[in-house]
């Protein structure tokens, strides 16, 4: 594709959707299985509840939650599945290693014209996938993209580790992204992505990939479940979320006071409050769902976006900043003017 084309097009979100499993897991219920309490969890994380997929229930597979969120986003955009050119599915908890969860979703919604692939950037995945869709659309290689962020982290949670099992929930969010003129005011304005593989040890799942088979011994040691260094992760998140928010604003010559809404990744409410304070941004303009759903990994940002588009809080012309961090480590931000 020629570089001239790259100057002709931009992309904008025209539909949003989200979906969560039925089963709610309260702090009280968790405190019956590990040594914790409702008060500790609320004070230290801001989480009240999370929704957990029933393992083995086909309606609550990762791709099923993704398909429901995608169907809702397509309805809002007024698009049929066969009009989609590409499906980018952000997840670190795929249905199966092969085929990709994107292909499972394609089959479920009947998006027969699309090409489909997964993107794994852990909790940053949705912003990485949305930035990728934006690039394909800007170069004219796609007109309509379906971008999903969906994770079933409960399948990889060590339910006997109180420092991590209190944090996570399952869910999915999706957006339809369409081509618009590069002169359009309402579009994706910029994206900044980064990774630091040196920090792999802060959050990882050692076994279950091609390096390490899940033997009975590995299983007993829970090495096929997530291992997290919470305090280090916390510090890194505060620094990088702040850094990438500033990058997005500076590259668009925007002052923080010109931002209408801030949607950060949600791993702990105290991380979000610390970032808002550093940015000097009021908490009442930070959109959250961590209180009700916990950390839903790549689903967090699109599900918060969906909730606030549907409630009418996010209005055409509003400037919205998406800001993420995750295992890898991965970091990124994406600034958009709502369509
Ligand atoms: O995308 C996701 C990546 N993950 C993150 O970003 C996680 C970020 N980190 C965090 O959210 C927090 O560090 C945690 C919630 C994991 C831990 O909170 P904290 O305030 O940093 O607690 P801490 O690790 O400093 O532990 C303080 C105390 C310890 O007890 P002692 O050693 O002081 O006696 C912990 O054992 O709190 C204890 N503790 C708990 N107590 C009750 C840790 N977890 C729990 C718990 N219930 N669930």
């Amino acid at each position: 594709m020629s570089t001239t084309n790259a100057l002709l097009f931009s992309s904008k979100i025209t539909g949003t959707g989200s979906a969560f499993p039925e089963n709610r897991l309260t702090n009280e219920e968790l405190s019956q299985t590990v040594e914790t309490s409702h008060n500790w969890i609320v004070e230290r994380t801001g989480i009240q509840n999370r929704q957990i997929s029933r393992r083995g229930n086909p309606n609550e597979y990762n791709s099923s939650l993704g398909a429901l969120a995608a169907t809702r986003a397509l309805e809002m955009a007024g698009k049929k599945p066969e009009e989609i050119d590409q499906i980018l599915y952000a997840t670190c908890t795929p249905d199966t290693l092969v085929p990709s969860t994107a292909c499972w979703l394609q089959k479920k919604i009947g998006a027969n014209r699309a090409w489909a692939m997964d993107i794994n950037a852990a909790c940053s995945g949705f912003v990485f996938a949305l930035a990728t869709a934006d690039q394909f659309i800007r170069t004219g290689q796609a007109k309509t993209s379906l971008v999903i962020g969906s994770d079933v982290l409960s399948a990889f949670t060590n339910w006997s580790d109180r420092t991590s099992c209190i944090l996570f929930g399952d869910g999915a969010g999706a957006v339809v992204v369409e081509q618009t003129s590069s002169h359009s005011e309402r579009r994706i304005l910029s994206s900044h992505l980064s990774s630091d593989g040196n920090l792999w040890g802060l959050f990882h799942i050692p076994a279950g990939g091609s390096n390490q088979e899940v033997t009975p011994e590995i299983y007993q040691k829970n090495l096929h479940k997530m291992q997290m260094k919470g305090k280090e992760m916390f510090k890194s998140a505060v620094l990088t979320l702040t850094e990438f928010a500033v990058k997005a604003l500076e590259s668009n010559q925007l002052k923080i006071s010109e931002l209408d809404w801030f949607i950060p990744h949600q791993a702990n409410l105290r991380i979000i409050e610390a970032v808002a304070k550093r940015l000097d941004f009021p908490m009442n303009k930070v959109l959250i769902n961590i209180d009700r759903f916990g950390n839903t990994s790549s689903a967090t940002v699109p599900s918060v976006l969906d909730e606030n588009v549907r409630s009418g809080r996010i209005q055409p012309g509003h400037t919205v900043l998406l800001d993420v961090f995750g295992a890898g480590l991965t970091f990124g931000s994406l600034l958009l003017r709502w369509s």
Side-chain angles (χ1 to χ4, degrees):
M1 198 47 60
S2 76
T3 44
T4 326
N5 264 351
L7 301 173
L8 293 177
F9 305 121
S10 278
S11 55
K12 62 176 182 178
I13 296 175
T14 56
T16 64
S18 53
F20 294 94
E22 232 173 61
N23 187 30
R24 171 174 294 178
L25 179 62
T26 65
N27 291 342
E28 288 298 347
E29 285 167 314
L30 268 173
S31 67
Q32 282 153 33
T33 54
V34 287
E35 205 184 324
T36 190
S37 67
H38 174 72
N39 286 349
W40 193 96
I41 300 173
V42 172
E43 271 167 32
R44 305 305 294 168
T45 72
I47 299 167
Q48 309 258 356
N49 291 304
R50 70 287 291 142
Q51 315 272 111
I52 301 292
S53 288
R54 282 194 184 86
R55 204 83 196 264
N57 176 351
N59 294 330
E60 296 188 344
Y61 287 169
N62 184 331
S63 62
S64 309
L65 298 174
L68 190 52
T71 303
R72 290 172 174 158
L74 285 164
E75 263 168 32
M76 189 191 285
K79 286 271 162 193
K80 296 194 185 80
E82 52 274 24
E83 291 176 272
I84 301 165
D85 298 318
Q86 61 176 189
I87 300 170
L88 302 177
Y89 203 114
T91 191
C92 60
T93 54
D95 278 14
T96 51
L97 289 180
V98 177
S100 67
T101 312
C103 283
W104 285 116
L105 171 124
Q106 177 191 28
K107 172 183 177 302
K108 284 181 181 173
I109 67 170
N112 298 328
R113 267 192 53 248
W115 66 269
M117 70 170 179
D118 285 3
I119 290 181
N120 180 354
C123 298
S124 305
F126 175 75
V127 163
F128 277 49
L130 183 54
T132 306
D134 180 45
Q135 297 301 317
F136 273 91
I137 289 175
R138 284 169 57 176
T139 56
Q141 300 228 5
K143 280 196 166 154
T144 306
S145 298
L146 178 62
V147 180
I148 298 107
S150 178
D151 270 305
V152 177
L153 276 176
S154 62
F156 299 91
T157 300
N158 176 352
W159 290 102
S160 58
D161 173 13
R162 69 173 180 172
T163 64
S164 62
C165 75
I166 55 163
L167 295 174
F168 300 100
D170 302 330
V175 296
V176 175
V177 192
E178 292 185 65
Q179 202 170 65
T180 185
S181 150
S182 59
H183 302 299
S184 166
E185 228 190 273
R186 294 169 188 185
R187 61 189 166 88
I188 292 178
L189 299 168
S190 67
S191 60
H192 293 84
L193 309 179
S194 182
S195 303
D196 186 354
N198 294 309
L199 298 176
W200 65 270
L202 268 55
F203 192 113
H204 68 128
I205 299 175
S210 57
N211 288 356
Q212 180 68 67
E213 196 183 341
V214 184
T215 59
E217 197 193 348
I218 294 287
Y219 187 89
Q220 210 171 18
K221 290 182 181 160
N222 269 315
L223 294 177
H224 58 309
K225 304 285 182 176
M226 62 175 82
Q227 324 281 315
M228 182 183 80
K229 296 200 169 115
K231 264 199 183 317
E232 286 93 328
M233 209 57 200
F234 191 111
K235 283 185 205 150
S236 170
V238 173
L239 291 178
T240 56
L241 285 173
T242 308
E243 180 190 337
F244 279 80
V246 170
K247 269 190 188 151
L249 294 168
E250 282 183 358
S251 72
N252 289 281
Q253 282 110 42
L254 274 186
K255 292 192 216 102
I256 188 82
S257 55
E258 293 174 277
L259 190 63
D260 293 296
W261 303 110
F262 180 40
I263 307 183
H265 176 55
Q266 326 214 335
N268 186 318
L269 187 60
R270 290 187 299 127
I271 294 176
I272 300 170
E273 288 167 345
V275 174
K277 196 168 170 200
R278 279 167 183 243
L279 293 171
D280 197 17
F281 192 69
M283 271 305 284
N284 63 359
K285 290 167 122 192
V286 183
L287 302 175
I288 60 160
N289 68 4
I290 186 173
D291 49 336
R292 289 155 290 146
F293 298 107
N295 175 358
T296 55
S297 187
S298 63
T300 292
V301 166
S303 61
V304 172
L305 183 67
D306 178 50
E307 180 179 345
N308 289 281
V309 166
R310 283 177 192 270
S311 73
R313 273 179 115 184
I314 297 177
Q315 287 285 318
H318 279 178
T319 305
V320 185
L321 175 61
L322 316 182
D323 196 11
V324 290
F325 73 98
L329 297 185
T330 51
F331 327 100
S333 59
L334 185 145
L335 193 74
L336 59 91
R337 189 149 302 119
W338 188 249
S339 37

